[in-house]
Amino acid sequence: MSDVQQALARSHHEEWARVVATLARRFGNLDTAEEAAAEAFVTAAERWPRDGIPPHPGAWLTLTATRKAIDRIRRESSRDARHREAELLYVTRTEPLGAIDDDRLRLVFICCHPALVMEARVALTLRMVGGLTVSEIARAFLVQDTTMGARITRAKAKIATAGIPYRMPSSGDLPRRVSGVLAVLFLIFNEGYLATGSDTAPVREELTAEAIRLTRLLHRLLPDDGEVTGILALMLLTEARRPARVSRHGALIPLADQDRGLWDSALISEGHALVRERLNSGVAPGRYQLLAAINAVHTDGHATDWTQIVALYDQLMRLDGSPIVRLNRAIAISERDEAEAGLSLIDELAPELTEYHSFHAARAHLLRRLGRDAASREACDAAIRLAGNTAEIAYLTAQRDGGTHHQRSARQ
Amino acid sequence: MQYLVNVIDDRSDSGTAEEMAAIHVFNDRLIANGNWVFAAGLADPTISTVIDGRGDQPVFIDGPFIESKEWAAGFWIIEAPDLDVALELMAEGSKACNRRLEVRPVLAPPR
């Protein structure tokens, strides 16, 4: 790749959201902002090879996009002088600032507005803030381009027509709105980390990387929000284990069997530092902070301290008594105590979790430890039927067919 | 901008005395803050008549244009600068009238 191409790619990655966000604030319209940003990048691709890379690519792109947007508004509104006057007035007016003055963060909050359905929030965030193309987003979520395009168009139309404002939520609303933003970022991360689909790579690094990048941004802008810090730590500690998580043959390697030498030590120490920072704050941890703490224990030393993990799940249960949290706590208890104790707790969850593959996978594992092989195979079958991730399916299939050490030997 | 807020219900004219009192308090606040445009309860949809005046002779049909388990049993029209303000206001409205609400933007008149 030439220097100019590299600079363009880097600018797209680093500056796209800033350019779109600045224009969205000035013009109050996502379509205008997005089209003008795209035109600015096209212009850059034409001019930079000839004129050289500008000293401040971000400022160059923002200025170019602003001019494109003004040109477009002039062209489109030439039929109505009053309209044009109003629009140009809008361009220069200054807005009162919300709780936080950052255009990109404002854009995240607009894209994650609670009046939009969750799928639209995720799609719009990836498109407007992440700069992913509609086809990339469609591929990531296994839907047709046209479906994803329609979803994004509809979300943008709702923002414009329903009057979703181009400002940060007020400081009183912020905590309530942040939780929705975190849910979107976590969904993006999880779809990357445990990708679904039979012909999909088990891990989609472009999604985990994007989720982490956006979360880092949010953390820089809201450094004192414990849950933002918590979710960043959670993502970093999870991402750190990624290189050891799938075998050469595409099968999931369970935590206990992973080669810890492959874990990313820089991400782990960064994640641990964030968890410590929250512990030192003395403020009671929320859900993401507890999940981060659990992952900090998993990545500390040479083996997991299951007593600590159970204690953390006990705390988490008080905030979130969902069946999935209870399942994970039962798995931790089976590791701390014995298989029998965990299994009876897991069996109690059957009515709620019978359609959840991890429920059956956990049962299969414990039944096998207890020597109840036929029942274990049956549970494996149920888990395979419900699992969507190819690495999980490969692991469960090997387990069902009796290859306990298949993954470990396959990796060497 | 203006928003039409439909009161979602499966019965009509079903507000209790407490609910009516809470709605009055809420409406007074809308008026005081300049968000009030209009509000009213609606008769049961079985009382509706659908008119088709597109042909030579208008046709009148007894009943609502759509049969559903729930309908708009009343409505507000409010003035709010944006959806966030409208939602914040009508969250209070929902509490006052003790019903779910649907918030729909009124389209701006053509320029």
Side-chain angles (χ1 to χ4, degrees), chain A residues 123-144:
Chain A
L124 207 56
T125 304
L126 287 174
R127 174 77 204 109
M128 305 305 291
V129 189
L132 269 65
T133 65
V134 171
S135 333
E136 281 171 328
I137 303 166
R139 223 172 24 250
F141 290 93
L142 304 169
V143 298
Q144 300 280 321

Side-chain angles (χ1 to χ4, degrees), chain A residues 23-140:
Chain A
L23 268 76
R25 175 172 57 78
R26 292 190 63 178
F27 297 95
N29 184 302
L30 287 186
D31 273 328
T32 304
E34 196 189 354
E35 281 158 17
E39 282 183 57
F41 277 94
V42 170
T43 308
E46 288 163 8
R47 297 243 183 103
W48 293 6
R50 195 180 67 213
D51 303 346
I53 302 159
H56 303 289
W60 189 96
L61 287 162
T62 306
L63 184 63
T64 307
T66 305
R67 286 183 182 146
K68 298 276 180 199
I70 292 173
D71 286 350
R72 177 182 289 266
I73 289 166
R74 283 207 175 107
R75 257 195 330 270
E76 285 174 1
S77 59
S78 58
R79 64 187 182 277
D80 183 341
R82 243 170 11 134
H83 179 191
R84 182 178 61 197
E85 202 181 331
E87 289 283 6
L88 293 178
L89 198 68
Y90 196 18
V91 170
T92 49
R93 79 172 185 181
T94 50
E95 277 192 28
L97 300 172
I100 297 149
D101 175 25
D102 184 279
D103 286 343
R104 285 169 303 167
L105 191 60
R106 185 197 319 255
L107 189 60
V108 171
F109 276 88
I110 293 166
C111 293
C112 297
H113 196 277
L116 301 172
V117 296
M118 200 48 143
E119 288 166 332
R121 292 187 217 172
V122 169
L124 207 56
T125 304
L126 287 174
R127 174 77 204 109
M128 305 305 291
V129 189
L132 269 65
T133 65
V134 171
S135 333
E136 281 171 328
I137 303 166
R139 223 172 24 250

Side-chain angles (χ1 to χ4, degrees), chain A residues 80 83 113 115 158 161-165 167 173 177, chain B residues 1 3 81-85 87-88 105-107 111:
Chain A
D80 183 341
H83 179 191
H113 196 277
K158 176 154 185 185
T161 311
I164 288 178
R167 58 168 163 71
D173 282 337
R177 292 282 297 275
Chain B
M1 56 191 287
Y3 295 89
D82 58 51
L83 185 68
D84 280 358
V85 175
L87 294 180
E88 201 182 324
V106 175
L107 292 177
R111 274 189 284 253

Side-chain angles (χ1 to χ4, degrees), chain A residues 49-327:
Chain A
R50 195 180 67 213
D51 303 346
I53 302 159
H56 303 289
W60 189 96
L61 287 162
T62 306
L63 184 63
T64 307
T66 305
R67 286 183 182 146
K68 298 276 180 199
I70 292 173
D71 286 350
R72 177 182 289 266
I73 289 166
R74 283 207 175 107
R75 257 195 330 270
E76 285 174 1
S77 59
S78 58
R79 64 187 182 277
D80 183 341
R82 243 170 11 134
H83 179 191
R84 182 178 61 197
E85 202 181 331
E87 289 283 6
L88 293 178
L89 198 68
Y90 196 18
V91 170
T92 49
R93 79 172 185 181
T94 50
E95 277 192 28
L97 300 172
I100 297 149
D101 175 25
D102 184 279
D103 286 343
R104 285 169 303 167
L105 191 60
R106 185 197 319 255
L107 189 60
V108 171
F109 276 88
I110 293 166
C111 293
C112 297
H113 196 277
L116 301 172
V117 296
M118 200 48 143
E119 288 166 332
R121 292 187 217 172
V122 169
L124 207 56
T125 304
L126 287 174
R127 174 77 204 109
M128 305 305 291
V129 189
L132 269 65
T133 65
V134 171
S135 333
E136 281 171 328
I137 303 166
R139 223 172 24 250
F141 290 93
L142 304 169
V143 298
Q144 300 280 321
D145 280 15
T146 46
T147 309
M148 189 52 80
R151 196 177 284 170
I152 291 172
T153 305
R154 192 187 163 280
K156 283 197 278 192
K158 176 154 185 185
I159 287 171
T161 311
I164 288 178
Y166 288 82
R167 58 168 163 71
M168 289 294 299
S170 66
S171 48
D173 282 337
L174 207 54
R176 208 169 51 203
R177 292 282 297 275
V178 166
S179 66
V181 171
L182 295 183
V184 167
L185 296 176
F186 201 45
L187 259 180
I188 295 170
F189 182 83
N190 273 332
E191 184 51 33
Y193 198 69
L194 265 176
T196 44
S198 56
D199 53 359
T200 306
V203 181
R204 320 194 110 225
E205 290 158 45
E206 77 279 13
L207 288 181
T208 55
E210 192 54 37
I212 289 175
R213 193 172 74 86
L214 295 175
T215 308
R216 277 190 192 283
L217 170 68
L218 196 61
H219 177 58
R220 262 203 305 282
L221 298 161
L222 297 174
D224 298 326
D225 187 301
E227 282 293 84
V228 176
T229 308
I231 201 172
L232 178 59
L234 171 60
M235 286 183 189
L236 295 175
L237 293 170
T238 311
E239 177 76 2
R241 303 201 302 265
R242 183 169 55 74
R245 201 167 143 271
V246 177
S247 76
R248 276 196 297 123
H249 302 280
L252 186 83
I253 303 170
L255 188 67
D257 294 339
Q258 287 178 12
D259 177 355
R260 291 177 173 235
L262 295 176
W263 289 358
D264 186 322
S265 55
L267 289 183
I268 289 178
S269 37
E270 192 186 351
H272 280 194
L274 292 171
V275 170
R276 270 198 307 277
E277 178 193 314
R278 289 312 306 164
L279 284 175
N280 294 338
S281 78
V283 180
R287 178 166 169 266
Y288 292 118
Q289 291 166 76
L290 286 170
L291 288 171
I294 287 165
N295 277 276
V297 174
H298 280 313
T299 48
D300 190 27
H302 297 291
T304 296
D305 176 349
W306 289 102
T307 305
Q308 278 199 58
I309 299 277
V310 172
L312 288 165
Y313 272 118
D314 286 344
Q315 272 199 68
L316 185 57
M317 284 259 292
R318 285 195 282 273
L319 295 179
D320 173 6
S322 69
I324 291 177
V325 171
R326 279 147 66 205
L327 172 68

